[in-house]
């Protein structure tokens, strides 16, 4: 089947620290991979995506590389800010079918 | 451009009652998706509508149902509410194919007492 596994949270970092949130997937085909972010009291927003192996998605200083050999899509940011405090969801989807499969989310808190 | 709008923002119901949640997609989007975000359970896929038809549903009982109107807005109905139905219900929309990802609304917080 199709599924996404994210590292357990919560994660607490100091401002300007390096962030990695691990994400691995299981898929029956060749999915597109996504990271979504949910700020407190809001819905999910698309952060970045990658549609094929070795693609790198990037946005707002975050980046993730689609690694087919390790079935991973780890989220990284070199220097986090307090405003990055949110819940991050890794997800996969297929070109046909439209349904997204989400991980359980990783809560990030950045302290000044 | 208006985003995905959901109403109401909050809804409090008594066990056994029915709840109706509404969603308006982004203009031009024909697909609407419903997800349940219960505490500690991540996002669980509920329903997918496209062009007025139900295309897929998740592993939820039949008392979770919905429809999509000709203007592509959608309604989620939950009958015979149970305490465990308390959750944030998120609606998302996408263009046909959904290749660019979903756009989510801010959700309806349903509390069953």
């Amino acid at each position: 089947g199709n599924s996404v596994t994210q590292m357990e949270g919560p994660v607490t970092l100091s401002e300007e620290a390096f962030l990695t949130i691990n994400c691995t997937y299981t898929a029956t085909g060749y999915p597109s991979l996504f990271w979504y972010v949910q700020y407190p009291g809001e819905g999910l927003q698309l952060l970045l995506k990658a549609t094929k192996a070795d693609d790198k998605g990037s946005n707002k200083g975050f980046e993730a590389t689609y690694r087919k050999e390790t079935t991973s899509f780890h989220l990284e940011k070199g220097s986090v800010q307090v405003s990055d405090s949110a819940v991050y969801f890794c997800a996969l989807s297929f070109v046909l079918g439209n349904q997204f499969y989400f991980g359980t989310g990783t809560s990030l808190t950045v302290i000044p | 451009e208006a985003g995905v709008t959901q109403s109401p923002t909050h809804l409090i119901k008594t066990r056994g009652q029915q709840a109706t949640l509404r969603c308006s997609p982004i203009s031009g989007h024909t697909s609407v998706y419903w997800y349940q975000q219960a505490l500690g359970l991540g996002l669980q896929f509920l329903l997918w509508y496209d062009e007025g038809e139900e295309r897929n549903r998740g592993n939820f009982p039949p008392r979770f149902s919905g429809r999509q109107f000709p203007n592509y807005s959608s309604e989620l109905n939950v009958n015979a509410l149970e305490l465990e139905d308390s959750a944030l219900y998120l609606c998302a929309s996408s263009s046909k194919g959904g290749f660019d990802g979903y756009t989510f609304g801010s959700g309806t917080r349903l509390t069953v007492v």
Side-chain angles (χ1 to χ4, degrees):
Chain A
N2 303 304
S3 65
V4 175
T5 302
Q6 288 182 235
M7 65 184 283
E8 297 267 339
V11 175
T12 302
L13 294 174
S14 298
E15 204 165 24
E16 298 184 3
F18 185 84
L19 168 72
T20 299
I21 300 178
N22 290 338
C23 171
T24 58
Y25 68 90
T26 302
T28 54
Y30 299 98
S32 294
L33 301 174
F34 303 79
W35 276 101
Y36 281 82
V37 58
Q38 186 178 30
Y39 297 103
E42 299 183 12
L44 278 71
Q45 300 175 22
L46 178 63
L47 181 60
L48 54 84
K49 68 175 183 178
T51 57
K52 61 182 188 296
D54 300 325
D55 269 3
K56 177 185 283 189
S58 60
N59 187 24
K60 298 181 182 180
F62 291 89
E63 59 183 33
T65 301
Y66 189 142
R67 300 286 188 199
K68 185 180 173 185
E69 62 276 12
T70 54
T71 62
S72 65
F73 193 55
H74 304 321
L75 182 68
E76 296 182 338
K77 186 174 185 183
S79 176
V80 293
Q81 305 300 312
V82 172
S83 57
D84 294 326
S85 297
V87 180
Y88 293 82
F89 292 89
C90 185
L92 68 83
S93 182
F94 296 93
V95 170
L96 296 177
N98 283 43
Q99 182 176 336
F100 274 59
Y101 299 84
F102 286 89
T104 53
T106 302
S107 175
L108 170 67
T109 300
V110 180
I111 55 177
Chain B
E1 175 187 271
V4 176
T5 56
Q6 292 187 243
S7 62
T9 306
H10 293 87
L11 189 58
I12 300 175
K13 292 286 187 178
T14 303
R15 190 170 51 184
Q17 285 188 316
Q18 178 196 45
T20 298
L21 289 64
R22 297 180 177 81
C23 172
S24 293
I26 284 178
S27 178
H29 284 186
T30 60
S31 284
V32 171
Y33 314 82
W34 288 95
Y35 281 81
Q36 182 194 66
Q37 187 178 20
L39 198 62
L41 293 179
L43 277 81
Q44 306 294 317
F45 169 70
L46 268 165
L47 290 159
W48 166 32
Y49 292 96
D50 181 64
E51 302 274 0
E53 301 285 332
E54 181 181 302
R55 302 296 185 182
N56 198 9
R57 66 179 292 130
N59 189 25
F60 281 83
R63 57 190 186 83
F64 287 83
S65 65
R67 53 181 172 165
Q68 187 178 34
F69 299 98
N71 65 355
Y72 303 117
S73 67
S74 177
E75 199 172 83
L76 173 68
N77 294 294
V78 187
N79 294 319
L81 284 165
E82 299 178 2
L83 297 178
E84 307 81 71
D85 297 333
S86 295
L88 180 67
Y89 289 83
L90 291 169
C91 172
S93 72
S94 76
S95 56
K96 199 154 189 72
F99 307 151
D100 291 331
Y102 292 172
T103 301
F104 280 87
S106 298
T108 293
R109 174 71 64 184
L110 173 64
T111 302
V112 183
V113 297

